[in-house]
């Protein structure tokens, strides 16, 4: 047995250098920028910060009193000014900021001129509703243009926003509003989801019954639903916003002023209000967006198909792209409405050049079948990205071939709500990629992989991912809970940020993410990562998606249990289960062989698409199910449990 904190099992030898055609026009073509940026970390980030417009220049690049960092101290700027005014002032007002498409098929084209106008009116409306610099505003909106508009309006007047994903319940919303004592809630009458209307305003009404801090509710009419408006409290967007003056001077914010709160529960625990501030956050969001997506603002049509309710949408639909004067696509609805090809139809119609999505979505596309992308012209795409979970190498290859036509570099970007922006990623014109590896830390990011004692593990080797130097877009704390901030991120390895993820480096130093360390299994003394066994399963042609957990076992400590969802048209049964066990044994090792295989059409996921292995573990150990409130679809768990028990757990 090795000394590694997590064993290195899966070997992946395929490699993809950037093509000459891509390199010929790429912004960065040499990976040496990484070492240079990290060796001169403060200068690197100061150079990037100066790409923004500052009302007052900063005098100190970094003030680091672990675990508290202040970046660009003394500097003053405004995020909405950087995202809008400076582009309009430079003559780009008529450039499209968003090609917005609604789920029912309606569309809006919003230029930088339009957006600046709307943001200033919305900012004045917030002021009219009593919002002042330093206040918090809760936002519970679907993916409509009013969402980025109101976020930027908050930034313009120096109020922090707290966006709550529009699929969350009334209870989740009121908890978050109360934690941050928000003064105003911005919502819509309803939101479109697969042709139906989700009653946002009803939920908001229920939430607001128990949120004493809310003085007004600002309501966008999106679905023409019948809603009740409480006199004196509720105001229609169309009654108050368009009537405002289209000019509102941007507040001069200190670099370290709060820009937003975003609550994250991850796959475990109660939600934490992650705090992001102004100068450092915008610097790293803009820099990573520009370099990781090799951005050409004059010609690209970039699409991040996430929801703004998550950090990916904050950094890579709103702040990064707008700071870089990007033309983006923004889509309101489900990827499979009205058909399983909706995404590819949008790519074709708008001529999308960069697509950024999540492994969970890619696996769904694989499951739905190759004919959907094949029916569309996807040749406008020049590069692809993924974020959110480890991408199984076979899903990577599928994305590369079926979507990228074999010609598009793929950037597998690792980061977190807490990191604010991309931390590990290929640079598309420079880095030779390997399917399933997020490759190397970005320039100016210093990371390591350590063992239980906090000692760096050798290369190659596996352990815990830590970030050992501060970075500009790092969280500044957990709102109202400093003890939890220190405990969660800084206690395990003092002086270093512990991300909670396992990772390994291969012989060439490439980083491979192995999943949350809470999910690591211990089978007969071997510490196995869920990610590698799942990837081995997904490499089997019958499998679309797999989740693996360690369930209690009296002889081996834990035994591997696999929950497998197969591709369309595949027949499931004991023969396939046996074949999959053997497949894992040969691809990885007999120790990783699943003792249990259960076939399931769906796997329990968070609303942002991450598999909740904790619940599968409860099922496999026949325990009372833990907290299910963050699940996208609660019925999935009950149905898996029923089948798991009926199958007598399907043991070998
Ligand atoms: C996981 C999303 C492997 C990881 C931006 C992390 C990934 C958590 C990757 C953060 C990736 C994200 N490869 N794992 N490329 N990207 N993760 O806060 O476990 O929603 O800690 O932020 O997602 O999720 P969050």
């Amino acid at each position: 047995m090795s000394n590694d904190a997590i064993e290195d099992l899966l070997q992946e030898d395929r490699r993809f250098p950037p093509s000459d055609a891509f390199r010929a026009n790429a912004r960065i073509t040499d990976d040496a920028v990484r070492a240079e940026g990290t060796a001169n970390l403060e200068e690197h980030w100061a150079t990037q910060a100066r790409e923004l417009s500052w009302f007052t220049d900063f005098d100190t690049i970094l003030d680091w009193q672990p675990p508290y960092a202040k970046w660009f101290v003394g500097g003053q700027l405004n995020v909405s000014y950087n995202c809008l005014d400076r582009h309009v002032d430079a003559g780009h007002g008529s450039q499209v900021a968003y090609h917005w498409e609604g789920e029912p098929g309606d569309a809006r084209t919003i230029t930088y001129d339009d957006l600046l106008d709307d943001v200033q009116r919305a900012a004045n409306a917030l002021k009219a509703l009593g919002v002042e610099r330093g206040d918090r505003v809760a936002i519970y909106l679907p993916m409509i243009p009013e969402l980025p508009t109101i976020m930027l309006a908050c930034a313009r007047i120096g109020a922090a926003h707290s966006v709550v994903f529009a699929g969350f319940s009334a209870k989740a919303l009121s908890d978050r509003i109360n934690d941050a004592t928000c003064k105003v809630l911005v919502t819509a009458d309803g939101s479109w989801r697969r042709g139906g209307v989700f009653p946002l305003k009803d939920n908001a009404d229920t939430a607001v019954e128990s949120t004493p801090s809310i003085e007004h509710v600002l309501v966008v009419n999106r679905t023409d639903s019948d809603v009740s408006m409480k006199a004196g409290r509720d105001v229609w967007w169309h009654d108050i916003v368009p009537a405002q003056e289209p000019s509102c001077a941007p507040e001069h914010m200190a670099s370290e002023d709060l820009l937003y709160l975003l609550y994250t529960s991850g796959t475990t625990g109660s939600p934490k209000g992650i705090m992001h501030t102004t100068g450092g956050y915008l610097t790293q969001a803009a820099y990573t967006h520009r370099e990781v997506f090799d951005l050409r603002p004059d010609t690209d049509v970039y699409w991040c198909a996430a929801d703004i309710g998550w950090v990916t949408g904050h950094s890579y639909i709103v702040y990064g792209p707008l700071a870089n004067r990007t033309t983006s696509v923004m889509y309101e609805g489900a990827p499979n409405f009205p058909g399983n090809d909706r995404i590819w139809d949008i790519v074709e119609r708008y001529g999308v050049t960069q697509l950024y999505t999540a492994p969970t979505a890619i696996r769904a596309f694989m499951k739905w079948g190759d004919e959907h992308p094949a029916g569309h012209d996807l040749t406008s795409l020049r590069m692809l990205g993924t974020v959110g979970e480890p991408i199984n190498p076979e899903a990577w290859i599928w994305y590369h071939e079926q979507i990228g036509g074999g010609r598009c570099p793929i950037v597998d970007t690792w980061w977190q709500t807490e990191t604010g922006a991309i931390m590990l990623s290929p640079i598309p014109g420079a880095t030779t990629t390997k399917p399933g590896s997020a490759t190397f830390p970005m320039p100016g990011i210093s990371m390591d992989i350590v063992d239980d004692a906090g000692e760096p593990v050798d290369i190659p080797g596996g352990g815990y991912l830590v970030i050992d130097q501060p970075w500009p877009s790092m969280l500044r704390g957990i709102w109202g809970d400093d003890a939890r901030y220190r405990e969660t991120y800084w206690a395990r390895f003092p002086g270093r940020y512990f991300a909670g993820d396992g990772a390994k480096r291969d012989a060439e130093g490439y980083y491979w993410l192995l999943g949350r360390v809470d999910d690591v299994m211990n089978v007969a003394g071997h510490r196995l990562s869920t990610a590698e066994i799942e990837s081995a399963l997904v490499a089997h042609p019958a499998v679309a998606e797999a989740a693996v957990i360690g369930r209690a076992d009296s002889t081996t400590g834990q035994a591997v249990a696999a929950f497998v969802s197969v591709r369309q048209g595949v027949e499931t049964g004991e023969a396939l289960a046996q074949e999959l066990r053997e497949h894992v044994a040969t691809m990885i090792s007999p120790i990783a062989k699943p003792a249990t295989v259960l076939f399931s059409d769906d796997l329990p996921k968070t609303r942002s698409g991450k598999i909740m292995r904790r619940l599968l573990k409860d099922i496999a150990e026949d325990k009372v199910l833990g907290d299910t409130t963050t699940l996208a679809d609660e019925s999935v768990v009950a149905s898996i449990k029923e089948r798991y028990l009926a199958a007598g757990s399907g043991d070998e």
Side-chain angles (χ1 to χ4, degrees), residues 248-530:
C248 170
E251 287 287 317
H252 290 206
M253 305 303 291
S255 180
E256 282 298 331
D257 279 339
L258 188 65
L259 176 64
Y260 68 78
L261 297 176
L262 184 57
Y263 285 82
T264 175
S265 45
T267 45
T268 50
S270 66
K272 309 182 273 282
I274 301 301
M275 297 165 65
H276 283 295
T277 58
T278 304
Y281 172 79
L282 193 63
T283 296
Q284 195 175 332
Y287 168 71
T288 50
H289 178 254
R290 189 163 61 237
E291 305 306 351
V292 169
F293 294 98
D294 185 54
L295 193 74
R296 272 156 226 300
D298 295 327
T299 47
D300 280 338
V301 179
Y302 157 92
W303 184 17
C304 167
D307 192 291
I308 294 175
W310 314 118
V311 74
T312 304
H314 281 59
S315 299
Y316 298 105
I317 298 178
V318 183
Y319 293 118
L322 294 176
N324 291 329
R325 183 173 52 86
T326 308
T327 295
S328 292
V329 168
M330 178 175 166
Y331 170 58
E332 178 183 38
N336 54 352
F337 186 85
N340 284 344
D341 67 339
R342 182 69 185 264
I343 298 291
W344 317 121
D345 177 49
I346 293 175
V347 168
E348 180 173 9
R349 275 187 292 111
Y350 294 94
V352 170
T353 47
Q354 293 106 322
L355 177 67
Y356 190 28
T357 186
T360 182
I362 296 166
R363 293 186 304 252
F365 303 146
M366 288 169 72
K367 190 150 73 174
W368 295 339
D370 299 354
E371 64 276 20
H372 303 294
H376 291 276
D377 178 358
L378 306 181
T379 52
S380 59
L381 287 168
R382 63 183 192 89
M383 61 165 295
L384 302 169
T386 86
V387 58
E389 284 180 292
I391 181 164
N392 318 108
E394 287 317 311
W396 193 105
I397 295 286
W398 184 90
Y399 197 32
H400 186 254
E401 288 171 0
Q402 302 297 322
I403 308 306
R407 95 196 152 266
C408 300
I410 296 182
V411 290
D412 173 358
T413 64
W414 179 90
W415 59 294
Q416 307 178 297
T417 304
E418 292 88 341
T419 70
I422 293 169
M423 303 294 279
L424 275 165
S425 173
I427 295 175
T431 314
T432 292
T433 53
K434 302 184 185 183
S437 169
T439 72
F440 304 104
M442 287 297 287
I445 298 300
S446 179
M447 286 184 177
D448 210 344
I449 297 179
V450 300
D451 63 16
D452 282 306
E455 293 300 321
V457 299
D458 292 339
I459 295 177
Y464 309 105
L465 186 70
V466 296
I467 308 170
D468 55 20
Q469 295 289 331
W471 65 102
S473 63
M474 67 190 273
L475 77 167
R476 299 303 196 265
I478 295 175
W479 181 258
D481 199 346
D482 188 50
R484 193 173 178 200
Y485 169 66
R486 290 168 163 274
E487 173 57 32
T488 309
Y489 305 109
W490 303 93
R492 178 82 187 265
F493 304 112
R496 287 167 290 180
Y497 172 87
F498 175 45
D501 281 10
K504 69 176 187 188
R505 273 176 300 215
D506 67 17
E508 291 176 298
Y510 279 69
Y511 284 69
W512 300 76
L513 273 299
L514 299 175
R516 304 294 297 168
V517 295
D518 320 323
D519 293 333
V520 168
M521 300 165 284
N522 195 325
V523 178
H526 299 275
R527 300 185 74 177
L528 310 179
S529 97
T530 53

Side-chain angles (χ1 to χ4, degrees), residues 23 27-28 46 68 82 104 106 122 166 174 182 275 279 286 296 307 366 371 377 460 495 517 519 528 586 614:
R23 283 172 65 91
R27 292 179 49 88
I28 297 178
Y68 305 102
N82 273 280
D106 50 337
S174 66
C182 299
M275 297 165 65
R296 272 156 226 300
D307 192 291
M366 288 169 72
E371 64 276 20
D377 178 358
V517 295
D519 293 333
L528 310 179
T586 40
R614 174 172 63 76

Side-chain angles (χ1 to χ4, degrees), residues 9 91 207 414 429 497 500 534 591 620 633 649:
L9 297 174
W414 179 90
Y497 172 87
E534 288 164 6
I591 49 167
D633 178 358
S649 87

